[in-house]
Protein backbone atom coordinates (compact mmCIF):
# COMPACT_ATOMS: atom_id res chain seq x y z
CA UNK A 1 0.00 0.00 0.00
CA UNK A 2 1.41 3.41 -0.99
CA UNK A 3 1.43 6.37 1.40
CA UNK A 4 -1.28 8.03 -0.71
CA UNK A 5 -3.53 4.98 -0.46
CA UNK A 6 -2.83 4.80 3.28
CA UNK A 7 -3.98 8.39 3.79
CA UNK A 8 -7.09 7.85 1.69
CA UNK A 9 -7.97 4.80 3.80
CA UNK A 10 -7.19 6.59 7.08
CA UNK A 11 -8.73 10.04 6.86
CA UNK A 12 -8.22 10.82 10.55
CA UNK A 13 -4.49 10.19 10.33
CA UNK A 14 -4.29 12.38 7.22
CA UNK A 15 -6.03 15.24 9.02
CA UNK A 16 -3.70 14.92 12.01
CA UNK A 17 -0.63 14.90 9.75
CA UNK A 18 -1.82 18.02 7.94
CA UNK A 19 -2.59 19.69 11.27
CA UNK A 20 0.97 19.03 12.45
CA UNK A 21 2.29 20.34 9.13
CA UNK A 22 0.19 23.45 9.68
CA UNK A 23 1.78 23.97 13.10
CA UNK A 24 5.24 23.82 11.53
CA UNK A 25 4.25 26.19 8.75
CA UNK A 26 2.74 28.51 11.36
CA UNK A 27 6.14 28.73 13.04
CA UNK A 28 7.66 29.81 9.73
CA UNK A 29 4.83 32.29 9.13
CA UNK A 30 5.80 34.03 12.37
CA UNK A 31 9.19 34.64 10.76
CA UNK A 32 7.61 35.84 7.51
CA UNK A 33 5.25 38.24 9.28
CA UNK A 34 8.12 39.76 11.29
CA UNK A 35 10.82 39.90 8.61
CA UNK A 36 9.06 40.50 5.29
CA UNK A 37 7.90 44.07 6.13
CA UNK A 38 11.45 44.91 7.28
CA UNK A 39 12.87 43.45 4.07
CA UNK A 40 10.42 45.50 1.99
CA UNK A 41 11.26 48.66 3.93
CA UNK A 42 14.97 48.13 3.31
CA UNK A 43 14.32 47.60 -0.37
CA UNK A 44 12.12 50.72 -0.60
CA UNK A 45 14.80 52.81 1.13
CA UNK A 46 17.42 51.48 -1.25
CA UNK A 47 15.29 52.34 -4.28
CA UNK A 48 14.54 55.81 -2.87
CA UNK A 49 18.24 56.52 -2.43
CA UNK A 50 18.87 55.45 -6.02
CA UNK A 51 16.12 57.72 -7.36
CA UNK A 52 17.41 60.65 -5.28
CA UNK A 53 20.96 59.83 -6.36
CA UNK A 54 22.09 59.54 -2.76
CA UNK A 55 25.09 57.40 -1.76
CA UNK A 56 24.20 53.77 -1.17
CA UNK A 57 24.23 52.60 2.43
CA UNK A 58 26.31 49.66 3.57
CA UNK A 59 24.40 46.39 3.23
CA UNK A 60 25.18 45.16 6.74
CA UNK A 61 24.47 41.60 7.76
CA UNK A 62 22.34 39.30 5.64
CA UNK A 63 18.66 39.68 6.51
CA UNK A 64 16.09 37.50 4.78
CA UNK A 65 13.54 34.82 5.66
CA UNK A 66 16.33 32.33 6.41
CA UNK A 67 19.19 34.34 7.91
CA UNK A 68 20.04 35.38 10.54
CA UNK A 69 18.86 32.63 12.87
CA UNK A 70 15.95 33.53 15.12
CA UNK A 71 16.94 35.11 18.41
CA UNK A 72 15.42 36.78 21.44
CA UNK A 73 14.75 40.48 20.71
CA UNK A 74 15.68 41.37 24.30
CA UNK A 75 18.99 39.58 24.95
CA UNK A 76 19.96 38.22 21.51
CA UNK A 77 19.88 34.62 22.71
CA UNK A 78 19.86 32.39 19.61
CA UNK A 79 16.81 30.15 19.67
CA UNK A 80 17.75 26.48 19.68
CA UNK A 81 15.89 23.82 17.73
CA UNK A 82 14.25 22.41 20.87
CA UNK A 83 13.04 25.93 21.75
CA UNK A 84 11.35 26.29 18.38
CA UNK A 85 8.87 23.39 18.49
CA UNK A 86 5.46 24.88 17.67
CA UNK A 87 3.29 25.59 20.74
CA UNK A 88 5.06 22.93 22.85
CA UNK A 89 8.27 24.93 23.31
CA UNK A 90 6.34 28.03 24.40
CA UNK A 91 4.44 25.98 26.98
CA UNK A 92 7.61 24.21 28.16
CA UNK A 93 9.43 27.53 28.57
CA UNK A 94 6.35 28.98 30.29
CA UNK A 95 6.27 31.80 27.78
CA UNK A 96 9.73 33.11 28.70
CA UNK A 97 13.12 33.29 27.02
CA UNK A 98 15.50 30.65 28.35
CA UNK A 99 18.28 33.25 28.37
CA UNK A 100 16.95 36.46 29.91
CA UNK A 101 13.56 35.20 31.17
CA UNK A 102 11.74 38.01 29.38
CA UNK A 103 8.19 37.19 28.27
CA UNK A 104 7.65 35.70 24.80
CA UNK A 105 4.50 37.03 23.18
CA UNK A 106 1.56 34.63 23.28
CA UNK A 107 0.92 35.62 19.69
CA UNK A 108 3.59 33.19 18.43
CA UNK A 109 1.90 30.00 19.67
CA UNK A 110 -1.52 31.39 18.75
CA UNK A 111 -0.42 31.90 15.13
CA UNK A 112 1.02 28.37 15.06
CA UNK A 113 -2.17 26.96 16.54
CA UNK A 114 -4.38 28.92 14.15
CA UNK A 115 -2.36 27.74 11.17
CA UNK A 116 -2.57 24.15 12.39
CA UNK A 117 -6.34 24.27 12.95
CA UNK A 118 -7.05 25.97 9.62
CA UNK A 119 -4.86 23.40 7.84
CA UNK A 120 -6.75 20.60 9.58
CA UNK A 121 -10.05 22.10 8.42
CA UNK A 122 -8.78 22.08 4.83
CA UNK A 123 -7.72 18.43 5.15
CA UNK A 124 -11.12 17.51 6.58
CA UNK A 125 -13.02 19.42 3.90
CA UNK A 126 -11.09 18.33 0.80
CA UNK A 127 -9.50 15.03 1.80
CA UNK A 128 -6.47 13.65 -0.01
CA UNK A 129 -6.57 15.71 -3.20
CA UNK A 130 -4.80 18.35 -5.26
CA UNK A 131 -7.53 20.77 -4.16
CA UNK A 132 -6.45 20.29 -0.56
CA UNK A 133 -2.82 21.07 -1.40
CA UNK A 134 -3.82 24.19 -3.33
CA UNK A 135 -6.11 25.42 -0.54
CA UNK A 136 -3.39 24.85 2.05
CA UNK A 137 -1.05 27.14 0.11
CA UNK A 138 -3.81 29.76 -0.17
CA UNK A 139 -4.69 29.45 3.53
CA UNK A 140 -1.10 29.96 4.63
CA UNK A 141 -0.74 32.93 2.32
CA UNK A 142 -3.97 34.56 3.54
CA UNK A 143 -2.94 34.10 7.16
CA UNK A 144 0.45 35.73 6.56
CA UNK A 145 -1.14 38.64 4.67
CA UNK A 146 -3.73 39.20 7.39
CA UNK A 147 -1.13 39.40 10.15
CA UNK A 148 1.12 41.74 8.17
CA UNK A 149 -1.84 43.98 7.35
CA UNK A 150 -2.90 44.00 11.00
CA UNK A 151 0.62 45.07 12.05
CA UNK A 152 1.60 47.46 9.26
CA UNK A 153 -1.55 48.09 7.18
CA UNK A 154 0.11 46.78 4.02
CA UNK A 155 -0.68 43.78 1.84
CA UNK A 156 2.63 42.91 0.14
CA UNK A 157 2.49 42.32 -3.61
CA UNK A 158 5.12 39.61 -3.08
CA UNK A 159 2.40 37.53 -1.41
CA UNK A 160 -0.78 38.72 -3.12
CA UNK A 161 0.20 38.65 -6.79
CA UNK A 162 1.77 35.16 -6.95
CA UNK A 163 -1.34 33.70 -5.29
CA UNK A 164 -3.59 35.61 -7.69
CA UNK A 165 -1.75 34.14 -10.67
CA UNK A 166 -1.74 30.70 -9.06
CA UNK A 167 -5.54 30.85 -8.77
CA UNK A 168 -5.89 31.65 -12.47
CA UNK A 169 -3.46 28.89 -13.43
CA UNK A 170 -5.23 26.29 -11.31
CA UNK A 171 -8.62 27.28 -12.69
CA UNK A 172 -7.23 27.02 -16.19
CA UNK A 173 -7.17 23.34 -15.22
CA UNK A 174 -10.73 23.61 -13.87
CA UNK A 175 -9.73 22.93 -10.25
CA UNK A 176 -12.27 25.15 -8.47
CA UNK A 177 -14.16 26.94 -11.23
CA UNK A 178 -13.88 27.66 -14.94
CA UNK A 179 -11.18 29.97 -16.30
CA UNK A 180 -13.69 32.58 -17.61
CA UNK A 181 -15.35 32.73 -14.17
CA UNK A 182 -11.95 33.03 -12.50
CA UNK A 183 -10.84 35.75 -14.90
CA UNK A 184 -13.98 37.80 -14.37
CA UNK A 185 -13.73 37.11 -10.66
CA UNK A 186 -10.32 38.76 -10.61
CA UNK A 187 -11.47 41.68 -12.77
CA UNK A 188 -14.71 42.35 -10.87
CA UNK A 189 -13.03 41.79 -7.52
CA UNK A 190 -10.50 44.51 -8.24
CA UNK A 191 -12.91 46.90 -9.93
CA UNK A 192 -15.62 46.66 -7.28
CA UNK A 193 -13.41 47.91 -4.44
CA UNK A 194 -11.61 50.31 -6.77
CA UNK A 195 -14.98 51.90 -7.59
CA UNK A 196 -15.95 52.13 -3.92
CA UNK A 197 -12.54 53.66 -3.13
CA UNK A 198 -12.97 56.48 -5.67
CA UNK A 199 -16.62 57.09 -4.83
CA UNK A 200 -15.71 57.44 -1.14
CA UNK A 201 -12.78 59.71 -1.99
CA UNK A 202 -14.89 61.96 -4.22
CA UNK A 203 -17.57 62.31 -1.51
CA UNK A 204 -15.33 62.67 1.57
CA UNK A 205 -11.93 63.65 0.19
CA UNK A 206 -10.38 60.76 2.12
CA UNK A 207 -9.03 57.38 1.12
CA UNK A 208 -11.18 54.65 2.67
CA UNK A 209 -8.94 51.67 1.84
CA UNK A 210 -5.67 50.73 0.20
CA UNK A 211 -4.90 49.31 -3.22
CA UNK A 212 -3.82 46.08 -1.56
CA UNK A 213 -7.44 45.42 -0.66
CA UNK A 214 -8.41 45.64 -4.36
CA UNK A 215 -5.75 43.08 -5.24
CA UNK A 216 -6.75 40.79 -2.38
CA UNK A 217 -10.38 40.66 -3.51
CA UNK A 218 -9.14 40.05 -7.07
CA UNK A 219 -7.12 37.13 -5.69
CA UNK A 220 -10.22 35.66 -4.05
CA UNK A 221 -12.17 36.08 -7.28
CA UNK A 222 -9.38 34.38 -9.23
CA UNK A 223 -9.67 31.32 -6.98
CA UNK A 224 -13.43 31.04 -6.60
CA UNK A 225 -14.82 32.92 -9.57
CA UNK A 226 -17.06 35.97 -9.61
CA UNK A 227 -19.73 33.95 -7.79
CA UNK A 228 -17.89 34.18 -4.42
CA UNK A 229 -17.53 37.97 -4.51
CA UNK A 230 -20.96 39.07 -3.19
CA UNK A 231 -20.75 36.79 -0.15
CA UNK A 232 -17.13 37.79 0.48
CA UNK A 233 -17.94 41.50 0.41
CA UNK A 234 -21.02 41.03 2.61
CA UNK A 235 -19.25 38.91 5.23
CA UNK A 236 -16.15 41.09 5.35
CA UNK A 237 -18.22 44.27 5.70
CA UNK A 238 -20.37 42.92 8.51
CA UNK A 239 -17.52 41.27 10.43
CA UNK A 240 -15.23 44.26 9.84
CA UNK A 241 -17.82 46.73 11.10
CA UNK A 242 -18.65 44.75 14.25
CA UNK A 243 -15.09 43.81 15.20
CA UNK A 244 -13.77 47.23 14.19
CA UNK A 245 -16.10 49.00 16.61
CA UNK A 246 -15.20 46.54 19.38
CA UNK A 247 -11.46 46.99 18.79
CA UNK A 248 -11.72 50.79 18.73
CA UNK A 249 -13.69 50.79 21.97
CA UNK A 250 -11.28 48.41 23.70
CA UNK A 251 -8.32 50.52 22.59
CA UNK A 252 -10.25 53.73 23.30
CA UNK A 253 -9.42 55.15 19.89
CA UNK A 254 -11.47 57.56 17.85
CA UNK A 255 -13.55 56.34 14.94
CA UNK A 256 -11.37 58.34 12.55
CA UNK A 257 -8.40 56.04 13.10
CA UNK A 258 -7.72 53.65 10.20
CA UNK A 259 -8.22 49.92 10.63
CA UNK A 260 -6.89 47.23 8.29
CA UNK A 261 -9.58 45.67 6.11
CA UNK A 262 -7.37 42.88 4.76
CA UNK A 263 -7.85 40.40 7.64
CA UNK A 264 -11.65 40.59 7.38
CA UNK A 265 -11.52 40.29 3.60
CA UNK A 266 -9.18 37.30 3.80
CA UNK A 267 -11.32 35.52 6.39
CA UNK A 268 -14.55 36.19 4.51
CA UNK A 269 -13.00 35.05 1.23
CA UNK A 270 -11.67 31.86 2.83
CA UNK A 271 -15.11 31.04 4.22
CA UNK A 272 -16.82 31.86 0.91
CA UNK A 273 -14.39 29.67 -1.05
CA UNK A 274 -14.99 26.65 1.18
CA UNK A 275 -18.62 26.94 2.26
CA UNK A 276 -20.01 29.63 -0.05
CA UNK A 277 -22.43 27.35 -1.88
CA UNK A 278 -23.76 25.85 1.36
CA UNK A 279 -24.21 29.28 2.97
CA UNK A 280 -26.01 30.69 -0.07
CA UNK A 281 -28.27 27.62 -0.40
CA UNK A 282 -29.18 27.77 3.30
CA UNK A 283 -30.00 31.46 3.08
CA UNK A 284 -32.21 30.98 0.01
CA UNK A 285 -33.98 28.08 1.70
CA UNK A 286 -34.64 30.11 4.85
CA UNK A 287 -35.79 33.07 2.77
CA UNK A 288 -38.20 30.80 0.92
CA UNK A 289 -36.69 31.16 -2.56
Amino acid sequence: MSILEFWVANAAIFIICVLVLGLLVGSFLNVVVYRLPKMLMRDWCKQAREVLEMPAQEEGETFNLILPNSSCPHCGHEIKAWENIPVISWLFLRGKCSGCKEAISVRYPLVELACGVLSGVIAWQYGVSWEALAMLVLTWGLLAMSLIDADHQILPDTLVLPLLWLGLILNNLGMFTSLPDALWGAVLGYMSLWSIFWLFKLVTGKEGMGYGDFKLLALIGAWGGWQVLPLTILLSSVVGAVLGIIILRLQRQGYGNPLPFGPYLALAGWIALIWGDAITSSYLQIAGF
Side-chain angles (χ1 to χ4, degrees), residues 44-204:
W44 293 335
C45 290
K46 181 180 178 181
Q47 294 179 34
R49 296 183 74 88
E50 291 176 354
V51 171
L52 297 173
E53 299 182 350
M54 298 174 63
Q57 291 182 323
E58 294 185 8
E59 291 292 335
E61 67 174 355
T62 301
F63 187 85
N64 52 42
L65 298 181
I66 306 299
L67 295 173
N69 295 332
S70 298
S71 60
C72 173
H74 302 288
C75 67
H77 166 72
E78 186 172 314
I79 298 174
K80 309 299 181 185
W82 69 269
E83 297 173 322
N84 208 23
I85 303 172
V87 181
I88 295 175
S89 290
W90 189 87
L91 294 173
F92 182 79
L93 293 169
R94 297 181 180 179
K96 297 180 180 179
C97 171
S98 63
C100 63
K101 306 304 179 183
E102 286 287 337
I104 302 172
S105 174
V106 70
R107 168 169 161 166
Y108 294 113
L110 288 179
V111 169
E112 294 164 351
L113 189 60
C115 190
V117 171
L118 293 176
S119 299
V121 170
I122 294 297
W124 168 71
Q125 184 71 21
Y126 290 95
V128 182
S129 63
W130 290 111
E131 288 82 357
L133 178 60
M135 283 299 297
L136 283 173
V137 173
L138 176 63
T139 299
W140 300 335
L142 290 176
L143 181 57
M145 293 177 213
S146 298
L147 294 170
I148 291 174
D149 196 28
D151 289 342
H152 304 282
Q153 295 189 4
I154 58 172
L155 289 164
D157 284 349
T158 50
L159 293 177
V160 178
L161 297 184
L163 284 174
L164 191 157
W165 283 108
L166 179 59
L168 292 175
I169 292 169
L170 292 176
N171 284 322
N172 184 49
L173 304 174
M175 182 168 287
F176 297 104
T177 187
S178 67
L179 181 59
D181 285 349
L183 176 61
W184 282 110
V187 172
L188 294 175
Y190 188 93
M191 292 303 297
S192 59
L193 291 188
W194 181 88
S195 302
I196 294 173
F197 168 87
W198 280 107
L199 178 62
F200 184 83
K201 188 172 183 178
L202 289 173
V203 173
T204 66

Side-chain angles (χ1 to χ4, degrees), residues 279-289:
I279 293 173
T280 303
S281 298
S282 298
Y283 171 78
L284 293 176
Q285 185 176 6
I286 293 173
F289 293 105

Side-chain angles (χ1 to χ4, degrees), residues 227-242:
Q227 294 88 343
V228 304
L229 296 178
L231 181 60
T232 299
I233 295 172
L234 177 62
L235 288 176
S236 60
S237 300
V238 172
V239 174
V242 174

Side-chain angles (χ1 to χ4, degrees), residues 215-228:
K215 299 170 190 175
L216 178 54
L217 188 57
L219 180 160
I220 293 168
W223 279 73
W226 61 267
Q227 294 88 343
V228 304

